Amino acid sequence: MSQEPREEWSGRLGFILAAVGSAVGLGNMWRFSYLTSENGGGAFVLLYLLLTLLLGLPVMLAELSLGRGSGRGPVSALRNFGGRRWSSLGALFVLSGFVILSYYSVIAGWTLRYVATTVAGGFPADGGEFFTRVSEGNEAAAYHVVFMIITMAVVMGGIRRGIERTALILMPVLFALIGGLAIYAFTLDGAGEGYRFYLQTDFSQIMDPDVIRQAAGQAFFSLSLGMGAIMTYGSYLSGRHHLPQESLVIGGADFMVAFVAGLAVFPMIFALGIQSDVSGSSVGTLFIALPTAFQQMGTAGTVVQVVFFIALFVAALTSAISMLEVVVASAMDSLKFSRKRATLIAGTAITLCGILPAKKQSVLEITDMIVGDVLLVAGGLALAIFVGWHMRDPIDHASEGAADVRWFPVWRWLLRVPIPLILLFVLYNSIKSVYAAIIG
Ligand code: PHE
């Protein structure tokens, strides 16, 4: 296979929107609102913000520096800077991307299904019954396959014509949809109670190791860190980019979208009187409680429901694209596949693996727990150790295009000591609780 010349983003806007597209996903709406409601509302939001700044942004800068410095996907990037031994960390990243996409796409398939059924006018009054019918089994698998085909079509188009163009069109649409939903939620009677619940700060919970580990895991998941997605996108950057600034913009946008999505979701939950249905299931709120309530609101509810699930679908698509790109870029680098061939083979393999979580929701939930809470954190920990201790010249790579920044030594120190310590603590607690959840 001939090696195609390395592609590059057309400019800053294209890169930023694509990276924000990767970060803003189901995690911002589905995972964030669920975790916040379980773990003390506003205090959790603050803890999450703190961990995004302290853990997320430094690791994002590390990923961008490695990607740009090597101009390669994770496997080759880590081999380039760390030799053979470290390239296995790159392989772990590719594996994580592969596994996450296989179940992420199943959930994305549900969103597609919700849009289709609502538009066709066939959405039943009971969201729970609908969810049970469509979330597992052959129909779920079919929608997962459709979603994967769309994702593959975009990635096959390449960096500029596929990924960047999709982000340029869809991200503004997504911002408008989520902003619109938040404004609509504001007009509802009883919205105040939702805000109060969302933003009430119950500090008693946030010293709980379990809450801390979930906030840290969510920060990694939501920023697309710990599996090479941001690294891969960074590999299509040129030396002109100011990486600390780009990290801040991506992290800031991701937080803002999660926060605004919360401003939409919580008032709706309270205004619609469904707070008691917001069950322990991570998917219950978005896929059962909200649609059930929307259905009781007549035409307005149906319109809001369509907008809501289109927003989820768009958010999921731009994230899924970045997961597939990790696998595709690595296959192009290491196996010298063409983009088309890499996308077809990787995409088909992921689609096949996704059949399992599509058929059994328990597989999906366990995989999400293992990946979100353990694999991404482990990947981030290994990466922090690599850049903090092993890599010879990380500051040279990070500071290219950012000569004005003086605190790169602080950045490296964060990656050396505090971040690994915190991540070790998080990882230990996560493994313990995932083990308990699976065995117990
Ligand atoms: N950040 C995405 C979300 O919040 C998920 C994701 C994880 C995307 C890892 C890419 C890599 O939904």
Side-chain angles (χ1 to χ4, degrees), residues 19-31 48 96-97 100 103-104 218-230 254 315-316 318-324 326 371 376:
V20 172
S22 167
V24 172
L26 294 171
N28 297 60
M29 303 176 77
W30 154 59
R31 249 168 160 266
Y48 173 74
S96 303
I100 300 182
Y103 76 85
Y104 197 85
Q218 172 63 7
F220 272 76
F221 186 87
S222 188
L223 292 170
S224 308
L225 297 174
M227 54 149 287
I230 295 295
D254 184 59
T318 50
S319 297
I321 290 167
S322 73
M323 298 177 199
L324 183 56
V326 172
V371 173
L376 295 184

Side-chain angles (χ1 to χ4, degrees), residues 151-186:
T151 308
M152 286 160 69
V154 174
V155 171
M156 213 175 274
I159 294 302
R160 286 194 192 182
R161 278 189 317 121
I163 299 179
E164 192 177 311
R165 207 198 291 157
T166 307
L168 281 171
I169 299 170
L170 290 186
M171 292 315 288
V173 172
L174 178 62
F175 295 147
L177 293 180
I178 296 179
L181 285 167
I183 293 171
Y184 166 76
F186 175 75

Side-chain angles (χ1 to χ4, degrees), residues 96-137:
S96 303
F98 191 101
V99 175
I100 300 182
L101 182 52
S102 69
Y103 76 85
Y104 197 85
S105 157
V106 174
I107 303 173
W110 301 344
T111 66
L112 210 54
R113 180 75 199 259
Y114 273 64
V115 174
T117 310
T118 315
V119 170
F123 202 88
D126 182 353
E129 182 258 324
F130 184 74
F131 182 73
T132 318
R133 181 149 57 81
V134 304
S135 61
E136 277 186 309

Side-chain angles (χ1 to χ4, degrees), residues 62 65-66 68-70 80-82 386-400 408 411-412 416:
S65 306
L66 255 70
R68 184 180 67 177
S70 65
N80 183 39
F81 288 117
F386 175 71
V387 176
W389 295 94
H390 190 79
M391 190 175 163
R392 215 169 331 114
D393 47 5
I395 294 182
D396 292 353
H397 290 286
S399 62
E400 193 185 344
F408 283 113
W411 168 65
R412 189 164 199 207
R416 273 185 175 222

Side-chain angles (χ1 to χ4, degrees), residues 73-76 90-102 148 155 163 227-229 232-233 236 320-339 341-350:
V75 180
S76 306
L92 175 77
F93 285 170
V94 175
L95 179 74
S96 303
F98 191 101
V99 175
I100 300 182
L101 182 52
S102 69
M148 280 303 300
V155 171
I163 299 179
M227 54 149 287
T232 305
Y233 275 13
Y236 303 109
I321 290 167
S322 73
M323 298 177 199
L324 183 56
E325 180 61 22
V326 172
V327 186
V328 166
S330 301
M332 288 170 67
D333 292 339
S334 305
L335 307 173
K336 305 281 180 268
F337 282 4
S338 68
R339 172 170 287 278
R341 180 169 176 181
T343 311
L344 276 177
I345 294 180
T348 306
I350 294 169

